[in-house]
mmCIF file of all heavy atoms in Angstrom:
data_model
loop_
_atom_site.group_PDB
_atom_site.id
_atom_site.type_symbol
_atom_site.label_atom_id
_atom_site.label_comp_id
_atom_site.label_asym_id
_atom_site.label_seq_id
_atom_site.Cartn_x
_atom_site.Cartn_y
_atom_site.Cartn_z
ATOM 1 N N LEU G 18 -4.939 -2.898 -1.349
ATOM 2 C CA LEU G 18 -5.848 -2.658 -0.236
ATOM 3 C C LEU G 18 -7.024 -1.827 -0.721
ATOM 4 O O LEU G 18 -6.879 -0.992 -1.607
ATOM 5 C CB LEU G 18 -5.136 -1.909 0.885
ATOM 6 C CG LEU G 18 -3.865 -2.557 1.412
ATOM 7 C CD1 LEU G 18 -3.168 -1.633 2.383
ATOM 8 C CD2 LEU G 18 -4.191 -3.882 2.074
ATOM 9 N N THR G 19 -8.167 -2.048 -0.120
ATOM 10 C CA THR G 19 -9.360 -1.278 -0.449
ATOM 11 C C THR G 19 -9.918 -0.693 0.840
ATOM 12 O O THR G 19 -9.961 -1.372 1.865
ATOM 13 C CB THR G 19 -10.428 -2.189 -1.095
ATOM 14 O OG1 THR G 19 -9.880 -2.764 -2.274
ATOM 15 C CG2 THR G 19 -11.672 -1.413 -1.445
ATOM 16 N N PHE G 20 -10.336 0.552 0.782
ATOM 17 C CA PHE G 20 -11.018 1.152 1.924
ATOM 18 C C PHE G 20 -12.098 2.080 1.397
ATOM 19 O O PHE G 20 -12.049 2.546 0.259
ATOM 20 C CB PHE G 20 -10.046 1.892 2.856
ATOM 21 C CG PHE G 20 -9.336 3.052 2.223
ATOM 22 C CD1 PHE G 20 -9.831 4.330 2.333
ATOM 23 C CD2 PHE G 20 -8.153 2.860 1.528
ATOM 24 C CE1 PHE G 20 -9.182 5.395 1.746
ATOM 25 C CE2 PHE G 20 -7.480 3.919 0.948
ATOM 26 C CZ PHE G 20 -8.010 5.195 1.055
ATOM 27 N N THR G 21 -13.088 2.327 2.219
ATOM 28 C CA THR G 21 -14.219 3.163 1.838
ATOM 29 C C THR G 21 -14.301 4.352 2.773
ATOM 30 O O THR G 21 -14.232 4.192 3.997
ATOM 31 C CB THR G 21 -15.539 2.356 1.926
ATOM 32 O OG1 THR G 21 -15.422 1.226 1.062
ATOM 33 C CG2 THR G 21 -16.727 3.187 1.516
ATOM 34 N N LEU G 22 -14.453 5.527 2.207
ATOM 35 C CA LEU G 22 -14.693 6.740 2.989
ATOM 36 C C LEU G 22 -16.178 7.057 2.902
ATOM 37 O O LEU G 22 -16.738 7.141 1.808
ATOM 38 C CB LEU G 22 -13.875 7.911 2.445
ATOM 39 C CG LEU G 22 -12.366 7.762 2.564
ATOM 40 C CD1 LEU G 22 -11.664 8.901 1.834
ATOM 41 C CD2 LEU G 22 -11.943 7.719 4.014
ATOM 42 N N THR G 23 -16.822 7.224 4.040
ATOM 43 C CA THR G 23 -18.251 7.534 4.073
ATOM 44 C C THR G 23 -18.470 9.036 3.992
ATOM 45 O O THR G 23 -17.530 9.823 4.119
ATOM 46 C CB THR G 23 -18.890 7.007 5.366
ATOM 47 O OG1 THR G 23 -18.352 7.751 6.475
ATOM 48 C CG2 THR G 23 -18.636 5.517 5.557
ATOM 49 N N ARG G 24 -19.714 9.425 3.809
ATOM 50 C CA ARG G 24 -20.032 10.862 3.825
ATOM 51 C C ARG G 24 -19.595 11.495 5.140
ATOM 52 O O ARG G 24 -19.095 12.599 5.181
ATOM 53 C CB ARG G 24 -21.528 11.070 3.623
ATOM 54 C CG ARG G 24 -21.992 10.747 2.243
ATOM 55 C CD ARG G 24 -23.476 10.954 2.135
ATOM 56 N NE ARG G 24 -23.902 10.641 0.783
ATOM 57 C CZ ARG G 24 -25.127 10.361 0.449
ATOM 58 N NH1 ARG G 24 -26.077 10.335 1.373
ATOM 59 N NH2 ARG G 24 -25.439 10.092 -0.792
ATOM 60 N N ARG G 25 -19.814 10.773 6.221
ATOM 61 C CA ARG G 25 -19.434 11.320 7.530
ATOM 62 C C ARG G 25 -17.916 11.482 7.633
ATOM 63 O O ARG G 25 -17.431 12.436 8.226
ATOM 64 C CB ARG G 25 -19.966 10.438 8.652
ATOM 65 C CG ARG G 25 -19.872 11.115 10.010
ATOM 66 C CD ARG G 25 -20.781 10.472 11.032
ATOM 67 N NE ARG G 25 -22.185 10.617 10.755
ATOM 68 C CZ ARG G 25 -22.943 11.645 11.153
ATOM 69 N NH1 ARG G 25 -22.418 12.636 11.818
ATOM 70 N NH2 ARG G 25 -24.225 11.678 10.886
ATOM 71 N N ASP G 26 -17.148 10.556 7.041
ATOM 72 C CA ASP G 26 -15.690 10.687 7.027
ATOM 73 C C ASP G 26 -15.248 11.952 6.304
ATOM 74 O O ASP G 26 -14.198 12.517 6.606
ATOM 75 C CB ASP G 26 -15.029 9.486 6.325
ATOM 76 C CG ASP G 26 -15.159 8.199 7.103
ATOM 77 O OD1 ASP G 26 -15.216 8.246 8.355
ATOM 78 O OD2 ASP G 26 -15.204 7.134 6.454
ATOM 79 N N LEU G 27 -16.033 12.377 5.333
ATOM 80 C CA LEU G 27 -15.680 13.535 4.511
ATOM 81 C C LEU G 27 -16.382 14.813 4.971
ATOM 82 O O LEU G 27 -16.423 15.797 4.254
ATOM 83 C CB LEU G 27 -16.032 13.253 3.045
ATOM 84 C CG LEU G 27 -15.307 12.051 2.443
ATOM 85 C CD1 LEU G 27 -15.858 11.741 1.060
ATOM 86 C CD2 LEU G 27 -13.819 12.295 2.392
ATOM 87 N N SER G 28 -16.916 14.802 6.182
ATOM 88 C CA SER G 28 -17.652 15.960 6.681
ATOM 89 C C SER G 28 -16.896 16.638 7.819
ATOM 90 O O SER G 28 -15.909 16.130 8.333
ATOM 91 C CB SER G 28 -19.038 15.538 7.167
ATOM 92 O OG SER G 28 -18.938 14.782 8.357
ATOM 93 N N PHE G 29 -17.394 17.801 8.192
ATOM 94 C CA PHE G 29 -16.896 18.510 9.364
ATOM 95 C C PHE G 29 -18.098 18.883 10.215
ATOM 96 O O PHE G 29 -19.238 18.806 9.759
ATOM 97 C CB PHE G 29 -16.089 19.754 8.957
ATOM 98 C CG PHE G 29 -16.923 20.836 8.325
ATOM 99 C CD1 PHE G 29 -17.379 21.898 9.083
ATOM 100 C CD2 PHE G 29 -17.256 20.786 6.981
ATOM 101 C CE1 PHE G 29 -18.157 22.897 8.512
ATOM 102 C CE2 PHE G 29 -18.025 21.777 6.398
ATOM 103 C CZ PHE G 29 -18.487 22.832 7.165
ATOM 104 N N VAL G 30 -17.860 19.291 11.450
ATOM 105 C CA VAL G 30 -18.948 19.665 12.361
ATOM 106 C C VAL G 30 -18.913 21.177 12.542
ATOM 107 O O VAL G 30 -17.871 21.748 12.888
ATOM 108 C CB VAL G 30 -18.807 18.947 13.721
ATOM 109 C CG1 VAL G 30 -19.936 19.348 14.657
ATOM 110 C CG2 VAL G 30 -18.784 17.443 13.527
ATOM 111 N N THR G 31 -20.041 21.820 12.303
ATOM 112 C CA THR G 31 -20.138 23.271 12.474
ATOM 113 C C THR G 31 -20.176 23.618 13.959
ATOM 114 O O THR G 31 -20.329 22.731 14.815
ATOM 115 C CB THR G 31 -21.416 23.818 11.799
ATOM 116 O OG1 THR G 31 -22.559 23.326 12.520
ATOM 117 C CG2 THR G 31 -21.483 23.437 10.333
ATOM 118 N N ALA G 32 -20.105 24.897 14.270
ATOM 119 C CA ALA G 32 -20.190 25.368 15.661
ATOM 120 C C ALA G 32 -21.527 24.983 16.287
ATOM 121 O O ALA G 32 -21.638 24.829 17.501
ATOM 122 C CB ALA G 32 -20.000 26.875 15.718
ATOM 123 N N GLU G 33 -22.549 24.785 15.446
ATOM 124 C CA GLU G 33 -23.874 24.405 15.933
ATOM 125 C C GLU G 33 -24.013 22.895 16.091
ATOM 126 O O GLU G 33 -25.074 22.397 16.448
ATOM 127 C CB GLU G 33 -24.958 24.917 14.968
ATOM 128 C CG GLU G 33 -25.046 26.427 14.864
ATOM 129 C CD GLU G 33 -23.949 27.019 13.976
ATOM 130 O OE1 GLU G 33 -23.428 26.311 13.088
ATOM 131 O OE2 GLU G 33 -23.601 28.188 14.183
ATOM 132 N N GLY G 34 -22.961 22.133 15.792
ATOM 133 C CA GLY G 34 -22.990 20.690 15.950
ATOM 134 C C GLY G 34 -23.582 19.942 14.763
ATOM 135 O O GLY G 34 -23.944 18.781 14.879
ATOM 136 N N VAL G 35 -23.677 20.602 13.614
ATOM 137 C CA VAL G 35 -24.246 19.998 12.415
ATOM 138 C C VAL G 35 -23.118 19.442 11.543
ATOM 139 O O VAL G 35 -22.124 20.127 11.305
ATOM 140 C CB VAL G 35 -25.064 21.048 11.619
ATOM 141 C CG1 VAL G 35 -25.593 20.459 10.316
ATOM 142 C CG2 VAL G 35 -26.198 21.598 12.473
ATOM 143 N N HIS G 36 -23.265 18.198 11.078
ATOM 144 C CA HIS G 36 -22.281 17.606 10.161
ATOM 145 C C HIS G 36 -22.572 18.090 8.742
ATOM 146 O O HIS G 36 -23.702 17.996 8.276
ATOM 147 C CB HIS G 36 -22.372 16.072 10.177
ATOM 148 C CG HIS G 36 -21.707 15.459 11.348
ATOM 149 N ND1 HIS G 36 -20.412 15.012 11.312
ATOM 150 C CD2 HIS G 36 -22.146 15.233 12.600
ATOM 151 C CE1 HIS G 36 -20.091 14.525 12.490
ATOM 152 N NE2 HIS G 36 -21.133 14.644 13.295
ATOM 153 N N LYS G 37 -21.531 18.614 8.065
ATOM 154 C CA LYS G 37 -21.692 19.085 6.691
ATOM 155 C C LYS G 37 -20.545 18.577 5.839
ATOM 156 O O LYS G 37 -19.400 18.533 6.277
ATOM 157 C CB LYS G 37 -21.680 20.617 6.631
ATOM 158 C CG LYS G 37 -22.952 21.255 7.083
ATOM 159 C CD LYS G 37 -22.953 22.712 6.710
ATOM 160 C CE LYS G 37 -24.352 23.274 6.911
ATOM 161 N NZ LYS G 37 -24.446 24.622 6.371
ATOM 162 N N ALA G 38 -20.882 18.204 4.609
ATOM 163 C CA ALA G 38 -19.866 17.921 3.593
ATOM 164 C C ALA G 38 -19.809 19.165 2.727
ATOM 165 O O ALA G 38 -20.847 19.666 2.290
ATOM 166 C CB ALA G 38 -20.258 16.706 2.771
ATOM 167 N N GLN G 39 -18.629 19.685 2.502
ATOM 168 C CA GLN G 39 -18.470 20.956 1.811
ATOM 169 C C GLN G 39 -17.681 20.781 0.522
ATOM 170 O O GLN G 39 -16.743 19.981 0.455
ATOM 171 C CB GLN G 39 -17.748 21.933 2.736
ATOM 172 C CG GLN G 39 -17.690 23.341 2.229
ATOM 173 C CD GLN G 39 -17.164 24.282 3.294
ATOM 174 O OE1 GLN G 39 -16.509 23.871 4.233
ATOM 175 N NE2 GLN G 39 -17.457 25.544 3.149
ATOM 176 N N ALA G 40 -18.053 21.540 -0.485
ATOM 177 C CA ALA G 40 -17.345 21.505 -1.768
ATOM 178 C C ALA G 40 -15.887 21.911 -1.568
ATOM 179 O O ALA G 40 -15.568 22.732 -0.715
ATOM 180 C CB ALA G 40 -18.022 22.452 -2.757
ATOM 181 N N GLY G 41 -15.003 21.280 -2.338
ATOM 182 C CA GLY G 41 -13.603 21.647 -2.275
ATOM 183 C C GLY G 41 -12.713 20.538 -2.791
ATOM 184 O O GLY G 41 -13.170 19.491 -3.235
ATOM 185 N N SER G 42 -11.429 20.790 -2.716
ATOM 186 C CA SER G 42 -10.409 19.830 -3.128
ATOM 187 C C SER G 42 -9.847 19.177 -1.875
ATOM 188 O O SER G 42 -9.492 19.868 -0.919
ATOM 189 C CB SER G 42 -9.300 20.563 -3.889
ATOM 190 O OG SER G 42 -8.281 19.677 -4.248
ATOM 191 N N TYR G 43 -9.765 17.846 -1.869
ATOM 192 C CA TYR G 43 -9.307 17.099 -0.705
ATOM 193 C C TYR G 43 -8.214 16.121 -1.121
ATOM 194 O O TYR G 43 -8.184 15.656 -2.258
ATOM 195 C CB TYR G 43 -10.471 16.332 -0.072
ATOM 196 C CG TYR G 43 -11.542 17.251 0.466
ATOM 197 C CD1 TYR G 43 -12.569 17.711 -0.351
ATOM 198 C CD2 TYR G 43 -11.503 17.690 1.778
ATOM 199 C CE1 TYR G 43 -13.543 18.570 0.128
ATOM 200 C CE2 TYR G 43 -12.465 18.545 2.274
ATOM 201 C CZ TYR G 43 -13.482 18.988 1.443
ATOM 202 O OH TYR G 43 -14.438 19.839 1.933
ATOM 203 N N THR G 44 -7.351 15.786 -0.178
ATOM 204 C CA THR G 44 -6.258 14.856 -0.436
ATOM 205 C C THR G 44 -6.359 13.667 0.499
ATOM 206 O O THR G 44 -6.584 13.844 1.704
ATOM 207 C CB THR G 44 -4.888 15.547 -0.231
ATOM 208 O OG1 THR G 44 -4.811 16.674 -1.108
ATOM 209 C CG2 THR G 44 -3.743 14.608 -0.515
ATOM 210 N N VAL G 45 -6.211 12.477 -0.048
ATOM 211 C CA VAL G 45 -6.149 11.247 0.740
ATOM 212 C C VAL G 45 -4.698 10.782 0.710
ATOM 213 O O VAL G 45 -4.099 10.664 -0.359
ATOM 214 C CB VAL G 45 -7.057 10.140 0.146
ATOM 215 C CG1 VAL G 45 -6.856 8.828 0.890
ATOM 216 C CG2 VAL G 45 -8.505 10.567 0.197
ATOM 217 N N SER G 46 -4.125 10.537 1.896
ATOM 218 C CA SER G 46 -2.740 10.073 2.015
ATOM 219 C C SER G 46 -2.727 8.686 2.622
ATOM 220 O O SER G 46 -3.444 8.414 3.579
ATOM 221 C CB SER G 46 -1.940 11.018 2.919
ATOM 222 O OG SER G 46 -1.940 12.329 2.404
ATOM 223 N N VAL G 47 -1.904 7.811 2.056
ATOM 224 C CA VAL G 47 -1.784 6.438 2.540
ATOM 225 C C VAL G 47 -0.312 6.131 2.712
ATOM 226 O O VAL G 47 0.490 6.386 1.819
ATOM 227 C CB VAL G 47 -2.408 5.435 1.534
ATOM 228 C CG1 VAL G 47 -2.250 4.008 2.030
ATOM 229 C CG2 VAL G 47 -3.872 5.769 1.286
ATOM 230 N N GLY G 48 0.044 5.591 3.878
ATOM 231 C CA GLY G 48 1.437 5.233 4.136
ATOM 232 C C GLY G 48 1.857 5.703 5.507
ATOM 233 O O GLY G 48 1.131 6.415 6.186
ATOM 234 N N GLY G 49 3.043 5.310 5.913
ATOM 235 C CA GLY G 49 3.543 5.673 7.232
ATOM 236 C C GLY G 49 3.851 7.148 7.344
ATOM 237 O O GLY G 49 4.214 7.798 6.372
ATOM 238 N N SER G 50 3.671 7.711 8.522
ATOM 239 C CA SER G 50 4.010 9.102 8.847
ATOM 240 C C SER G 50 3.271 10.111 7.994
ATOM 241 O O SER G 50 3.793 11.170 7.698
ATOM 242 C CB SER G 50 5.518 9.330 8.707
ATOM 243 O OG SER G 50 6.243 8.439 9.506
ATOM 244 N N GLN G 51 2.069 9.798 7.578
ATOM 245 C CA GLN G 51 1.316 10.716 6.713
ATOM 246 C C GLN G 51 0.791 11.871 7.524
ATOM 247 O O GLN G 51 0.447 11.714 8.684
ATOM 248 C CB GLN G 51 0.152 9.978 6.048
ATOM 249 C CG GLN G 51 0.593 8.989 5.025
ATOM 250 C CD GLN G 51 1.305 9.634 3.867
ATOM 251 O OE1 GLN G 51 0.949 10.728 3.457
ATOM 252 N NE2 GLN G 51 2.305 8.993 3.364
ATOM 253 N N PRO G 52 0.695 13.050 6.922
ATOM 254 C CA PRO G 52 1.066 13.408 5.551
ATOM 255 C C PRO G 52 2.436 14.087 5.463
ATOM 256 O O PRO G 52 2.613 15.050 4.731
ATOM 257 C CB PRO G 52 -0.044 14.365 5.156
ATOM 258 C CG PRO G 52 -0.356 15.096 6.435
ATOM 259 C CD PRO G 52 -0.126 14.074 7.542
ATOM 260 N N GLU G 53 3.409 13.644 6.194
ATOM 261 C CA GLU G 53 4.744 14.233 6.177
ATOM 262 C C GLU G 53 5.361 14.157 4.780
ATOM 263 O O GLU G 53 5.288 13.111 4.130
ATOM 264 C CB GLU G 53 5.663 13.527 7.174
ATOM 265 C CG GLU G 53 5.276 13.736 8.618
ATOM 266 C CD GLU G 53 5.407 15.180 9.051
ATOM 267 O OE1 GLU G 53 6.370 15.858 8.637
ATOM 268 O OE2 GLU G 53 4.537 15.647 9.798
ATOM 269 N N PRO G 54 5.989 15.236 4.317
ATOM 270 C CA PRO G 54 6.604 15.222 2.982
ATOM 271 C C PRO G 54 7.690 14.154 2.825
ATOM 272 O O PRO G 54 7.917 13.658 1.736
ATOM 273 C CB PRO G 54 7.206 16.613 2.854
ATOM 274 C CG PRO G 54 6.530 17.457 3.881
ATOM 275 C CD PRO G 54 6.086 16.521 4.972
ATOM 276 N N LYS G 55 8.355 13.774 3.913
ATOM 277 C CA LYS G 55 9.447 12.794 3.841
ATOM 278 C C LYS G 55 8.955 11.344 3.858
ATOM 279 O O LYS G 55 9.744 10.431 3.718
ATOM 280 C CB LYS G 55 10.420 13.003 5.006
ATOM 281 C CG LYS G 55 11.125 14.330 4.969
ATOM 282 C CD LYS G 55 12.028 14.471 6.182
ATOM 283 C CE LYS G 55 12.644 15.846 6.229
ATOM 284 N NZ LYS G 55 13.447 16.052 7.421
ATOM 285 N N SER G 56 7.658 11.118 4.054
ATOM 286 C CA SER G 56 7.158 9.750 4.128
ATOM 287 C C SER G 56 7.220 9.100 2.752
ATOM 288 O O SER G 56 7.297 9.767 1.731
ATOM 289 C CB SER G 56 5.727 9.709 4.650
ATOM 290 O OG SER G 56 4.836 10.118 3.641
ATOM 291 N N ASN G 57 7.160 7.779 2.733
ATOM 292 C CA ASN G 57 7.190 7.067 1.459
ATOM 293 C C ASN G 57 5.796 6.612 1.053
ATOM 294 O O ASN G 57 5.647 5.669 0.291
ATOM 295 C CB ASN G 57 8.154 5.881 1.528
ATOM 296 C CG ASN G 57 7.760 4.892 2.617
ATOM 297 O OD1 ASN G 57 6.843 5.136 3.379
ATOM 298 N ND2 ASN G 57 8.458 3.778 2.688
ATOM 299 N N GLY G 58 4.781 7.287 1.552
ATOM 300 C CA GLY G 58 3.402 6.940 1.209
ATOM 301 C C GLY G 58 2.993 7.520 -0.132
ATOM 302 O O GLY G 58 3.798 8.124 -0.850
ATOM 303 N N VAL G 59 1.753 7.311 -0.467
ATOM 304 C CA VAL G 59 1.187 7.841 -1.702
ATOM 305 C C VAL G 59 -0.034 8.683 -1.358
ATOM 306 O O VAL G 59 -0.621 8.542 -0.284
ATOM 307 C CB VAL G 59 0.789 6.722 -2.691
ATOM 308 C CG1 VAL G 59 2.005 5.958 -3.155
ATOM 309 C CG2 VAL G 59 -0.218 5.780 -2.074
ATOM 310 N N GLN G 60 -0.395 9.559 -2.264
ATOM 311 C CA GLN G 60 -1.577 10.378 -2.038
ATOM 312 C C GLN G 60 -2.261 10.686 -3.361
ATOM 313 O O GLN G 60 -1.655 10.580 -4.422
ATOM 314 C CB GLN G 60 -1.234 11.662 -1.302
ATOM 315 C CG GLN G 60 -0.259 12.577 -2.003
ATOM 316 C CD GLN G 60 0.093 13.772 -1.130
ATOM 317 O OE1 GLN G 60 -0.060 13.741 0.088
ATOM 318 N NE2 GLN G 60 0.571 14.821 -1.751
ATOM 319 N N THR G 61 -3.532 11.036 -3.255
ATOM 320 C CA THR G 61 -4.301 11.461 -4.416
ATOM 321 C C THR G 61 -5.236 12.574 -3.981
ATOM 322 O O THR G 61 -5.555 12.697 -2.800
ATOM 323 C CB THR G 61 -5.085 10.282 -5.046
ATOM 324 O OG1 THR G 61 -5.615 10.705 -6.302
ATOM 325 C CG2 THR G 61 -6.197 9.801 -4.142
#
Side-chain angles (χ1 to χ4, degrees):
L18 305 173
T19 301
F20 62 94
T21 302
L22 295 173
T23 67
R24 290 179 180 160
R25 193 161 294 272
D26 291 330
L27 300 172
S28 70
F29 68 97
V30 180
T31 67
E33 296 78 25
V35 176
H36 281 266
K37 283 192 168 189
Q39 188 171 21
S42 178
Y43 296 87
T44 302
V45 174
S46 301
V47 179
S50 304
Q51 290 297 324
E53 293 295 321
K55 296 178 185 176
S56 76
N57 59 354
V59 295
Q60 60 184 21
T61 190

